[in-house]
């Protein structure tokens, strides 16, 4: 299974696990697409649960996985990015971006509930909170 697919599978499995989590869990997956009919060409995924950060990066340079105690900066940036994604939810459909685009998948759960979603953005319209998280957690934003 490709790392981006594995990260998406983990993201989709998290709501099922929500009742057994202590405190909360949150994650953000950032995927770069050049063709909507194939896999993303780059993927960055950060999950924080029980004080542990799990990072997965996949792209032409290869795959990197890391697990470490979550830093306050990672936690703050992930919280800000997830909150911004939550606050931008709309009942109005937006057109699918054309050309190269980024999809942001997010998840937040507590012992009593969860929320998650996915939004696609043109490469030049990725929210600032997501760009800040990319730079700090993964070392770089996607190339334009």
């Amino acid at each position: 299974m490709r790392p981006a697919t594995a990260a998406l599978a983990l993201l989709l499995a998290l709501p099922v696990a929500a009742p057994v989590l202590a405190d909360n869990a949150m994650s953000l997956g950032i995927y770069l697409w050049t063709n909507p009919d194939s896999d993303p060409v780059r993927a960055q995924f950060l999950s924080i649960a029980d004080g542990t950060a799990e990072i997965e990066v996949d792209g032409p340079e290869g795959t990197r996985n890391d697990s470490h105690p979550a830093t306050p900066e990672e936690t703050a940036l992930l919280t800000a990015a997830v909150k911004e994604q939550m606050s931008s939810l709309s009942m109005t459909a937006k057109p699918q971006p054309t050309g190269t685009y980024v999809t942001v998948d997010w998840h937040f759960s507590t012992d009593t509930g969860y929320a998650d979603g996915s939004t696609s953005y043109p490469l030049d319209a990725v929210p600032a909170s997501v760009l800040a998280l990319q730079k700090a957690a993964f070392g770089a934003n996607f190339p334009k």
Side-chain angles (χ1 to χ4, degrees), residues 5-118:
T5 306
L8 184 57
L10 174 64
L11 180 67
L12 294 174
L14 282 174
V16 174
V20 297
L21 294 174
D23 299 327
N24 63 53
M26 60 185 153
S27 63
L28 196 82
I30 310 160
Y31 306 95
L32 180 66
W33 300 83
T34 56
N35 179 344
D37 295 326
S38 62
D39 289 334
V41 295
R42 293 183 184 270
Q44 299 170 328
F45 181 81
L46 172 62
S47 174
I48 296 178
D50 297 325
T52 300
E54 301 285 340
I55 291 178
E56 185 171 334
V57 177
D58 183 31
E61 300 83 15
T63 300
R64 176 175 61 96
N65 295 300
D66 178 44
S67 179
H68 60 270
T71 67
E73 180 185 28
E74 286 172 322
T75 303
L77 288 168
L78 181 57
T79 299
V82 168
K83 281 185 175 182
E84 184 174 32
Q85 291 298 297
M86 286 178 165
S87 69
S88 68
L89 287 175
S90 172
M91 299 295 281
T92 304
K94 296 177 185 175
Q96 177 69 27
T98 58
T100 300
Y101 65 95
V102 172
T103 298
V104 177
D105 295 343
W106 59 272
H107 172 86
F108 177 81
S109 61
T110 66
D111 290 338
T112 58
Y114 72 92
D116 53 26
S118 179

Side-chain angles (χ1 to χ4, degrees), residues 113-140:
Y114 72 92
D116 53 26
S118 179
T119 303
S120 294
Y121 300 95
L123 190 55
D124 62 355
V126 176
S129 64
V130 173
L131 295 174
L133 176 70
Q134 280 184 295
K135 196 78 159 171
F138 309 114

